[in-house]
Amino acid sequence: MKSTRDRAGLLGRVRGERRERERQPLPGREGGIEDFVVITGFSGAGKSQAMACFEDAGYFCVDNLPPEMISSLSELFTHEGSKVERAAVVCDVRGGTYFEGMLRVLDELEGRGIRHRVLFLDASEEVLVKRFKETRRRHPLADGGQVSTAIHEELELLAPVRERADVVIETSDLSAARLRKVVADKMLPHDVKGKLAVTFLTYGFKHGAPRDADLLFDVRFLPNPHYEADLRDLTGCDEPVIEYVGARMGSGSSSGG
């Protein structure tokens, strides 16, 4: 079993190797961004869920970004040495009068040759009003008035942007989970397989079991190598410890951990 000092040393080496890999340039890539997604649409239509979908897929995400800053951000991504390959930003009427420059910013992206896509999330007025009532949130354009009036105003502001959208998703009948699935199907590359992250954590019961563990394995029935004088200074990665534990599990194998 690893001591606290051993575990700290191992974590330090792993983190050091990770930082070193991050400093290395990506093979075959000298800067630039492969996919830049602008998420917009009606307030309450599910833009936060859409952004979470991109974030889970490894995109660099920014919420509530004014249009003027979209151009500046995309320019940073095109610099040599930029490690951001994919990014998604949410831009909507929360930006106030700045949102009126949205079309001009999209034109600038096209003029500079920056590959980008616009995702527009739509929903019916009835559904949007219901969602605002359920969450008791204030519509960004309501200003103390009726939500329905704010939605009509938002419709006028969003109409030109909707026409420029590459993908429009109607979210009226979609749950949060279903919306994320639709966004993934329509917007994320299908040739990239998701990776399953598995974390193994050793712990002592005297300190309490981990609260966020999905599976717990109680191995207290095994003799602890720590109490063997010739094994005490070794770790679970050392062959003598592996053989010691494996033999007492009845497997006779020396390839366990």
Side-chain angles (χ1 to χ4, degrees):
M1 299 296 178
K2 293 183 179 179
S3 66
T4 301
R5 180 178 299 176
D6 293 331
R7 290 196 296 270
L10 177 61
L11 287 174
R13 290 194 299 272
V14 170
R15 290 167 179 166
E17 293 172 357
R18 183 181 303 168
R19 286 193 294 267
E20 182 62 27
R21 287 196 301 269
E22 292 175 348
R23 284 194 292 265
Q24 298 297 326
L26 295 174
R29 182 171 177 268
E30 300 179 352
I33 184 168
E34 296 178 358
D35 190 21
F36 186 60
V37 180
V38 178
I39 306 171
T40 188
F42 284 93
S43 303
K47 296 187 295 294
S48 296
Q49 293 296 331
M51 185 181 68
C53 178
F54 286 101
E55 190 172 18
D56 291 344
Y59 279 64
F60 177 89
C61 297
V62 182
D63 188 18
N64 193 19
L65 190 68
E68 298 296 336
M69 296 186 65
I70 291 179
S71 181
S72 300
L73 186 64
S74 63
E75 185 177 353
L76 289 176
F77 294 154
T78 61
H79 287 173
E80 183 177 352
S82 171
K83 296 177 181 176
V84 177
E85 294 179 305
R86 300 174 296 175
V89 299
V90 175
C91 181
D92 52 34
V93 297
R94 287 176 293 176
T97 56
Y98 293 105
F99 186 75
E100 297 176 359
M102 181 71 167
L103 294 178
R104 179 175 53 80
V105 171
L106 294 178
D107 290 336
E108 289 179 0
L109 293 178
E110 291 183 359
R112 289 161 48 198
I114 298 178
R115 291 178 294 177
H116 65 281
R117 296 180 293 164
V118 179
L119 170 61
F120 189 97
L121 299 184
D122 202 350
S124 67
E125 178 183 342
E126 180 182 358
V127 170
L128 292 175
V129 171
K130 181 180 178 182
R131 289 176 180 174
F132 274 99
K133 285 184 177 180
E134 290 176 347
T135 59
R136 296 184 179 275
R137 294 182 58 202
R138 185 182 67 85
H139 192 286
L141 298 180
D143 195 22
Q146 292 183 336
V147 174
S148 58
T149 303
I151 293 175
H152 290 161
E153 182 180 351
E154 188 175 28
L155 174 62
E156 296 180 3
L157 291 172
L158 292 175
V161 180
R162 191 183 193 281
E163 294 179 357
R164 294 282 297 272
D166 297 282
V167 176
V168 178
I169 299 178
E170 167 62 49
T171 70
S172 297
D173 299 324
L174 299 180
S175 63
R178 179 59 183 166
L179 171 58
R180 294 174 68 161
K181 178 66 168 58
V182 173
V183 171
D185 290 341
K186 291 181 176 292
M187 300 294 294
L188 297 182
H190 298 285
D191 57 340
V192 178
K193 296 183 178 179
K195 296 181 180 180
L196 176 64
V198 180
T199 301
F200 292 92
L201 173 67
T202 60
Y203 64 95
F205 275 93
K206 66 179 180 179
H207 302 298
R211 296 182 178 180
D212 57 347
D214 296 306
L215 293 174
L216 292 177
F217 297 94
D218 188 345
V219 295
R220 287 178 292 180
F221 65 92
L222 294 173
N224 192 339
H226 177 74
Y227 296 109
E228 297 292 333
D230 56 340
L231 301 177
R232 179 171 298 179
D233 295 331
L234 303 179
T235 73
C237 296
D238 294 310
E239 194 66 26
V241 176
I242 296 175
E243 294 179 353
Y244 177 87
V245 175
R248 281 148 184 81
M249 291 179 63
S251 65
S253 171
S254 61
S255 61

